[in-house]
């Protein structure tokens, strides 16, 4: 086993949130039902908080995860609240911190009211950026997500799940402002290159 390279897997799970069936809210701390709940808390391996709160995420990252002896962060799985704003925020915060050729998996993007904007507003913008070329023969191309584009190698989606792959660019420490979901994240009408008529060949 000498050739095994250690890595870190981060899984974002739901504590409480909106039921996918739309029949009210989940109540209580479901992680507490795990028999190793207190052990993981004591070992600083479990953190319970708001996955859309950038300040909370940053505190967990800096105080508990960003250690000199920590293996590289290679895989992040978002299986949290399944709310569009939470899922998009996960991508903006965690994707830059993943090491080259690592992956971020976002689950449960199925057509439910709570998650719809992630699939219909966020993904089209990121897909457009993935194919960004800035061809001067066309109308000027503007990136929707300039903090993600330089790090993105590919996007793989199948039923209810998307996998975002990092390219070979080293992981980056972004500011809190850069790690925060921008205003256009869930509204592609706020990204100029997504507007109707923007893509026209110049003469």
């Amino acid at each position: 086993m000498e050739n095994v390279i250690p890595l870190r897997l981060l899984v974002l799970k739901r504590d409480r949130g909106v039921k996918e069936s739309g029949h009210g809210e989940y109540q209580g701390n479901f992680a507490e039902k795990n028999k190793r709940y207190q052990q993981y808390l004591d070992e600083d391996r479990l953190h319970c908080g708001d996955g859309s709160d950038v300040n909370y995420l940053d505190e967990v990252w800096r105080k508990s995860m960003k250690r000199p002896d920590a293996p590289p962060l290679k895989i992040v799985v978002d299986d949290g609240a399944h709310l569009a704003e939470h899922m998009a925020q996960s991508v903006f915060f965690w994707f830059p911190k993943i090491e080259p050729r690592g992956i971020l998996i976002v689950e449960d993007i199925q057509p439910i009211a709570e998650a719809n904007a992630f699939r219909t507003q966020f993904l089209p913008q990121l897909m457009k950026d993935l194919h960004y070329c800035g061809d001067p023969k066309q109308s000027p191309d503007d990136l929707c997500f300039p903090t993600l584009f330089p790090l993105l190698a590919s996007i793989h989606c199948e039923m209810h799940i998307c996998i975002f792959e990092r390219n070979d660019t080293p992981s980056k420490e972004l500011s809190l402002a850069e790690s925060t979901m921008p205003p256009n994240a869930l509204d592609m009408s706020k990204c100029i290159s997504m507007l109707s008529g923007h893509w026209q060949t110049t003469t």
Side-chain angles (χ1 to χ4, degrees):
M1 302 297 287
E2 293 180 0
N3 295 326
V4 174
I5 300 174
L7 57 83
R8 276 187 295 176
L9 165 65
L10 172 65
V11 180
L12 310 174
K13 293 293 290 183
R14 171 169 40 203
D15 176 8
R16 54 180 62 84
V18 179
K19 279 187 178 179
E20 292 171 15
S21 61
H23 298 306
E25 294 186 353
Y26 285 105
Q27 300 293 333
N29 181 356
F30 291 95
E32 198 171 23
K33 296 180 179 180
N34 189 298
K35 63 181 180 180
R36 293 189 175 89
Y37 172 76
Q38 190 59 50
Q39 173 190 337
Y40 292 154
L41 282 177
D42 295 340
E43 294 174 351
D44 204 24
R45 297 171 60 191
L46 174 66
H47 309 277
C48 297
D50 185 348
S52 66
D53 184 341
V54 179
N55 290 293
Y56 169 74
L57 296 176
D58 187 64
E59 181 179 2
V60 171
W61 169 252
R62 295 187 182 280
K63 291 185 177 180
S64 300
M65 297 185 66
K66 189 183 175 184
R67 308 185 314 270
D69 62 334
L73 181 61
K74 296 287 286 189
I75 303 172
V76 174
V77 180
D78 184 320
D79 187 19
H82 312 320
L83 304 177
E85 57 268 29
H86 286 220
M87 295 188 287
Q89 182 57 72
S90 287
V91 179
F92 283 101
F93 186 85
W94 292 111
F95 193 69
K97 294 174 173 57
I98 298 173
E99 295 297 321
R101 295 300 165 180
I103 59 174
L104 187 153
I105 302 169
V106 180
E107 299 186 4
D108 299 301
I109 64 169
Q110 63 263 38
I112 57 173
E114 296 83 7
N116 275 341
F118 184 86
R119 189 184 68 262
T120 64
Q121 301 295 316
F122 173 79
L123 277 178
Q125 295 183 75
L126 196 57
M127 285 293 294
K128 195 280 302 178
D129 281 359
L130 179 63
H131 300 285
Y132 170 84
C133 63
D135 188 343
K137 295 180 181 179
Q138 296 178 324
S139 298
D141 190 5
D142 299 291
L143 290 168
C144 296
F145 304 136
T147 61
L148 300 179
F149 164 75
L151 309 172
L152 184 64
S154 65
I155 304 171
H156 307 269
C157 294
E158 55 184 79
M159 183 175 284
H160 302 168
I161 190 170
C162 278
I163 300 172
F164 305 90
E165 181 191 11
R166 285 277 280 104
N167 58 21
D168 294 320
T169 304
S171 59
K172 299 180 67 174
E173 286 287 329
L174 301 180
S175 68
L176 279 181
E178 292 172 316
S179 300
T180 300
M181 181 177 68
N184 63 298
L186 299 177
D187 183 357
M188 64 183 180
S189 69
K190 295 180 180 179
C191 179
I192 188 171
S193 61
M194 298 296 290
L195 299 180
S196 177
H198 180 77
W199 287 95
Q200 295 179 358
T201 303
T202 58
T203 57

